[in-house]
């Protein structure tokens, strides 16, 4: 078994370009992308009786997928877990069936929902507390076990795929810190941010013409600030050597040098991941990602173009709201917002 695969964690707000970043990282021959790993037990639990059926991007249920099936059976063999009978008995994150029931969770699964809320409140309290209070609040830390389990899972994934590093795009900053502080393998965190205008447009694009926009644009702008501030605050607890901020725009405008910098940070050999790739299998495929967006892995040269749809779609009024609310945070993160 690979002794120490590097655990690459992408933290960031949704719609910040994590699919593109994951694709680029996974084009490195020593790296495999797994999607949003925090969701794996949930995807195992989601079967024909639930609203969605949990599947790997290859189309198979996790236990039937050639990659995940192999990984999960190895874990079962060494831990005595039975994933199909009880997918959450071997936890790797706070995500459980409350995620399946969403707004109905307090009624349909009250205990599971309540426990998830409790875990989140408790961890926020632990991570935000002043140093002297942390030992007191740290009496109960289920995340310690999750981090150990996640490391074992990562090691099996790296071994099955014969790589040195795995990319987890789970994105949640709380989950990121759980992994960073409790993993037994090296963790590298990538903080991904995107221009507030592009990010906010992708959050509100479902608004139909003629519908009021002020409220949704205002809420999305506040949310952009809130989520990025939270990520920034929690990431301060990760030492600088293990944490790198990357802007979506930098990836699009200069993918070669951005990726060169990233691979150096990750301790991986330099590799041209933008140009066409040697295709050893003779075919590109979906890979085996779990949760999150489907990624089409191709061996062709990548045509990366920055998504500027916000320019045609955000009005002057929208932009004024975004600038007003998100301007200072945007400046702090080094995103341009004036023009
Ligand atoms: Zn699969």
């Amino acid at each position: 078994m690979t002794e120490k695969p590097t655990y690459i964690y992408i933290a960031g707000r949704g719609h910040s370009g994590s699919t593109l970043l994951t694709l680029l990282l996974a084009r490195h021959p020593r790296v495999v992308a797994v999607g949003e790993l925090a969701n794996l037990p949930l995807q195992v639990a989601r079967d024909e009786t639930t609203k969605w059926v949990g599947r790997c991007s290859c189309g198979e249920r996790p236990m039937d997928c050639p990659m995940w099936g192999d990984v999960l059976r190895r874990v079962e063999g060494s831990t005595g877990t039975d994933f199909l009978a009880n997918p959450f008995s071997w936890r790797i994150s706070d995500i459980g069936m409350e995620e399946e029931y969403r707004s109905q969770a307090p009624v349909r699964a009250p205990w599971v929902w309540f426990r998830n809320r409790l875990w989140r409140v408790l961890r926020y309290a632990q991570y935000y507390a002043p140093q002297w209070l942390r030992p007191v609040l740290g009496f109960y830390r289920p995340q310690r076990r999750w981090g150990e389990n996640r490391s074992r899972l990562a090691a099996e994934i790296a071994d099955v795929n014969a790589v040195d590093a795995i990319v987890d795009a789970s994105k949640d900053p709380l989950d990121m810190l759980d992994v960073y502080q409790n993993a037994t393998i090296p963790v590298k965190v990538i903080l991904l941010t995107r221009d507030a205008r592009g990010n906010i447009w992708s959050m509100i694009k479902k608004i139909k013409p003629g519908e009021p926009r002020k409220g949704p644009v205002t809420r999305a702008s506040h949310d952009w600030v809130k989520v990025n501030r939270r990520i920034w605050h929690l990431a301060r607890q990760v030492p600088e050597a293990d944490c790198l901020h990357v802007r979506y725009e930098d990836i699009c405008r200069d993918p070669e040098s951005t990726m060169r910098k990233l691979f150096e940070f990750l301790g991986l050999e330099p590799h041209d991941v933008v140009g066409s790739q040697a295709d050893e299998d003779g075919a590109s495929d979906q890979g085996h990602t779990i949760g999150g967006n489907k990624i089409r892995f191709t061996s062709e040269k990548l045509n990366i173009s920055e998504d500027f749809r916000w320019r045609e779609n955000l009005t002057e009024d929208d932009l004024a709201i975004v600038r007003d609310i998100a301007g200072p945070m945007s400046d702090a993160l080094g995103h341009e917002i004036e023009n």
Side-chain angles (χ1 to χ4, degrees):
M1 193 151 109
T2 316
E3 276 310 309
K4 283 197 182 309
T6 302
Y7 198 113
I8 306 169
Y9 195 103
I10 302 177
R13 191 168 189 261
H15 303 276
S16 291
S18 69
T19 303
L20 173 63
L21 176 58
T22 301
L23 171 63
L24 284 164
L25 290 167
R27 282 167 74 101
H28 192 290
R30 305 304 302 160
V31 177
V32 69
V34 297
E36 300 179 2
L37 195 57
N39 287 306
L40 177 64
L42 178 65
Q43 299 300 65
V44 174
R46 283 175 161 165
D47 58 15
E48 282 68 23
T49 66
T50 57
K51 196 170 171 191
W52 291 280
V53 179
R55 292 185 195 283
C56 169
S57 58
C58 72
E60 296 291 343
R61 299 269 294 118
M63 292 302 285
D64 302 326
C65 156
M67 199 282 272
W68 290 110
D70 195 0
V71 168
L72 292 170
R73 271 185 291 275
R74 283 172 176 225
V75 174
E76 286 185 334
S78 58
T79 63
T81 311
D82 182 343
F83 281 109
L84 280 182
N86 196 350
F88 301 107
S89 61
W90 193 80
R91 274 197 172 264
I92 56 167
S93 74
D94 63 4
I95 296 176
M97 284 308 278
E98 74 291 331
E99 186 69 22
E100 166 74 15
Y101 302 131
R102 297 282 169 95
S103 59
Q104 293 176 342
V107 182
R108 295 196 54 184
W111 160 241
V112 170
W113 172 81
F114 172 75
R115 192 180 51 179
N116 176 275
R117 294 289 92 192
L118 182 73
W119 279 340
R120 291 193 77 85
V121 169
L122 189 64
R123 278 139 68 226
Y124 274 122
Q126 288 165 353
Y127 294 145
Y128 274 82
Q131 282 297 346
W132 63 270
L133 198 58
R134 287 186 193 181
V136 185
L137 287 169
F139 66 95
Y140 175 57
R141 289 196 295 151
Q143 67 267 37
R144 202 183 302 180
R145 177 57 60 80
W146 306 342
E148 286 163 13
N149 291 350
R150 198 97 153 234
S151 308
R152 180 188 286 254
L153 193 57
E156 295 290 8
I157 294 167
D159 197 43
V160 164
N161 290 281
V163 294
D164 302 321
I166 78 154
V167 185
D168 176 0
S170 293
K171 296 200 278 298
D172 175 12
L174 199 52
D175 184 57
M176 173 267 287
L177 209 48
D178 291 342
V179 172
Y180 186 81
Q181 294 191 343
N182 300 290
T184 55
I185 54 176
V187 181
K188 294 279 188 181
V189 173
I190 303 173
L191 302 178
L192 183 64
T193 59
R194 179 177 174 191
D195 181 322
R197 298 164 299 186
N199 199 174
I200 286 163
W201 168 244
S202 46
M203 303 301 282
I204 62 158
K205 63 186 166 198
K206 289 197 184 98
I207 302 177
K208 295 190 182 68
E211 281 180 4
R213 303 174 62 91
K214 198 176 167 202
V217 173
T218 304
R219 276 194 297 278
S221 302
H222 281 299
D223 195 63
W224 184 89
V225 174
K226 189 181 79 180
V227 175
N228 281 309
R229 184 183 291 149
R230 183 182 301 154
I231 293 171
W232 225 248
H233 187 93
L234 292 171
R236 276 211 299 253
Q237 300 182 40
V238 178
E240 234 169 83
D242 292 333
C243 189
L244 188 71
H245 175 209
V246 174
R247 297 177 199 90
Y248 164 74
E249 295 77 31
D250 297 337
I251 300 173
C252 298
R253 292 173 198 176
D254 191 353
E256 283 86 2
S257 77
T258 305
M259 294 311 294
R260 201 177 312 126
K261 206 169 95 184
L262 256 169
F263 288 134
E264 197 191 326
F265 160 70
L266 298 168
L268 293 162
E269 293 287 313
H271 190 82
D272 171 25
V273 288
V274 182
S276 55
Q277 304 282 297
D279 194 347
E280 284 158 25
D281 303 323
S284 57
D285 71 339
Q286 309 274 307
H288 297 284
T289 59
I290 203 101
N293 290 336
K294 270 197 184 158
I295 302 175
R296 203 173 74 87
F297 296 96
T298 156
S299 59
E300 289 155 27
K301 183 180 187 324
L302 288 184
N303 256 327
I304 301 170
S305 59
E306 193 173 338
D307 183 351
F308 279 119
R309 276 173 296 176
W310 61 269
R311 282 188 178 155
E312 299 100 66
N313 290 294
L314 290 181
T315 65
E316 273 309 310
D317 289 349
D318 295 341
L319 288 170
I321 297 171
V322 175
R323 267 194 296 270
D324 192 34
I325 297 169
M329 186 72 193
S330 193
D331 290 343
L333 295 176
H335 291 283
E336 53 198 48
I337 199 166
E338 325 68 49
N339 47 19

